[in-house]
Amino acid sequence: MKKKWLYLLLAAVLLVTSLAGCGSKSDKGGGGLTKVTLNEVAHSIFYAPMYVAIEEGYFKDEGIDLDLVCGFGADKTMTAVISGEADIGFMGSESSIYVYNQGSEDYMVNFAQLTQRAGNFLVARQPMDNFSWNDIKGKNVLGGRKGGMPQMVFEYILKKNGINPATDLNIDQSIDFGSTGAAFSGGQGDFTVEFEPSATLLEQQGDGYVVTSLGVDSGYVPYTAYSARQSYIEQNPEIIQSFTNALQKGMDFVQSHTPEEIAKVIAPQFEDTDLETITTIVNRYYSQDTWKADLIFQEDSFTLLQNILEEAGELSQRVPYADLVTTEFAENAVK
């Protein structure tokens, strides 16, 4: 019981940090800079290149005064962009497919892809040096929201390994995102699927052990991307280009610096997380080739995404790549 409450306390501290990071750490340049509001699905070290771009002043260099807001969920991020509360959204691009298939005229267009692997990890109660996906059969697993990328990628991996997600194990999808770590610490489940920093936090408390990376086991997947309404992109191509240029500089930094150097740069975004923990998490993502060298959202990646959605039963009909993705800005950014 004490461990559970300790975990909840630490999780609350990290949540406060995320709230702070999703506002107070934005570029506030003034001086003729163009204000751009970006709503991110979560505030996570998983998105390190973006925070490098913020902390290194790349957005300011491109003439952008960036207001970073945390949506705490793709549905909330999407709502913020569609309503005009935010200019750009950062989330799983499956959300843009859902909106398109709902018949929206001013649909969302993806213009830059940040991550190319899933960012979550399978955590067990005991160390398992020789973990096999067959070890999960018959077990209780704390999973993610139906229709969300974390859960769909998890099921995609299970099927790749000949495991039926519906019959070969029990996946608990009743727990809110961000609360599964605390539930696992409190005794629920044999395994849990966790993002950072929850996976590392469970290890530090001795409550769980990372046994495999979903990012490695799923292969390259277009996990998160930046998107905006079609009308916004058409009316503000120079803003989208400047925004993408700043992001590319962040990508270049990550490709040319060590995890230790990256961790030091993004540390102000996570003030209540110690540098050693940040470095551990950056190392984990760095070693599995999480971040693309460029921001170009390729058609084969979009096809794979739709395959995953289709297998999960979440795709009413396939959508055209040419409608939902533009590579113009990302291609210009690497020239």
Side-chain angles (χ1 to χ4, degrees):
M1 180 62 73
K2 286 183 178 179
K3 279 187 174 183
K4 179 179 180 181
W5 283 109
L6 178 59
Y7 185 96
L8 289 170
L9 177 60
L10 289 170
V13 169
L14 288 168
L15 178 59
V16 170
T17 304
S18 295
L19 284 168
C22 288
S24 63
K25 293 299 169 186
S26 304
D27 279 342
K28 297 293 182 182
L33 300 180
T34 300
K35 176 74 169 292
V36 175
T37 300
L38 169 65
N39 192 298
E40 60 176 359
V41 64
H43 197 69
S44 170
I45 295 167
F46 184 38
Y47 313 131
M50 174 169 65
Y51 306 130
V52 167
I54 292 173
E55 294 298 326
E56 289 294 289
Y58 297 149
F59 286 103
K60 288 181 180 178
D61 292 345
E62 290 291 334
I64 291 177
D65 171 13
L66 188 68
D67 182 19
L68 183 63
V69 181
C70 196
F72 295 105
D75 53 343
K76 297 179 180 65
T77 295
M78 179 61 75
T79 298
V81 180
I82 290 177
S83 68
E85 183 181 335
D87 302 307
I88 296 171
F90 176 59
M91 66 198 112
S93 45
E94 77 282 357
S95 298
S96 65
I97 295 175
Y98 297 153
V99 168
Y100 185 90
N101 274 339
Q102 288 169 2
S104 173
E105 292 185 6
D106 194 9
Y107 51 83
M108 300 286 287
V109 176
N110 300 281
F111 62 88
Q113 179 189 336
L114 185 75
T115 55
Q116 61 182 2
R117 287 192 186 276
N120 42 5
F121 302 87
L122 186 68
V123 179
R125 294 211 169 272
Q126 300 295 330
M128 301 175 70
D129 294 336
N130 298 309
F131 171 79
S132 162
W133 281 102
N134 283 325
D135 295 331
I136 211 168
K137 287 186 175 180
K139 304 297 184 181
N140 295 314
V141 183
L142 306 187
R145 175 179 60 85
K146 177 178 171 57
M149 277 299 287
Q151 179 63 24
M152 290 190 293
V153 169
F154 179 43
E155 293 183 8
Y156 174 70
I157 293 170
L158 293 175
K159 292 172 184 176
K160 277 180 61 177
N161 286 273
I163 299 170
N164 188 321
T167 59
D168 289 340
L169 69 160
N170 177 52
I171 304 175
D172 185 348
Q173 297 178 263
S174 66
I175 303 171
D176 290 338
F177 176 80
S179 300
T180 51
F184 189 74
S185 182
Q188 295 186 47
D190 302 305
F191 295 86
T192 182
V193 179
E194 297 294 330
F195 278 93
E196 294 289 11
S198 293
T200 294
L201 185 59
L202 284 169
E203 288 191 322
Q204 289 176 343
Q205 296 305 309
D207 289 339
Y209 301 86
V210 172
V211 294
T212 192
S213 162
L214 273 70
V216 171
D217 291 349
S218 65
Y220 291 116
V221 173
Y223 207 78
T224 48
Y226 296 87
S227 58
R229 285 171 296 148
Q230 183 184 29
S231 62
Y232 183 86
I233 294 175
E234 290 175 351
Q235 294 164 17
N236 302 281
E238 72 289 343
I239 293 177
I240 296 295
Q241 188 62 68
S242 295
F243 183 92
T244 308
N245 291 346
L247 283 175
Q248 184 60 56
K249 292 176 184 177
M251 302 292 271
D252 293 342
F253 184 101
V254 166
Q255 295 293 326
S256 60
H257 290 74
T258 66
E260 291 74 19
E261 291 169 328
I262 297 166
K264 287 180 181 178
V265 169
I266 69 172
Q269 289 282 325
F270 304 93
E271 288 181 341
D272 291 333
T273 305
D274 64 88
L275 183 59
E276 182 179 355
T277 299
I278 295 172
T279 303
T280 297
I281 295 170
V282 172
N283 253 307
R284 186 167 274 166
Y285 284 134
Y286 190 94
S287 64
Q288 68 177 39
D289 196 25
T290 292
W291 304 299
K292 285 168 58 67
D294 59 57
L295 297 156
I296 301 170
F297 197 152
Q298 303 286 1
E299 186 169 5
D300 58 350
S301 293
F302 192 74
T303 299
L304 173 59
L305 173 63
Q306 295 203 75
N307 291 343
I308 293 172
L309 292 175
E310 207 164 51
E311 285 188 24
E314 298 294 334
L315 187 63
S316 57
Q317 63 180 31
R318 296 182 82 91
V319 302
Y321 169 79
D323 282 0
L324 268 71
V325 177
T326 175
T327 61
E328 172 189 352
F329 305 101
E331 288 170 354
N332 288 339
V334 295
K335 288 180 179 177

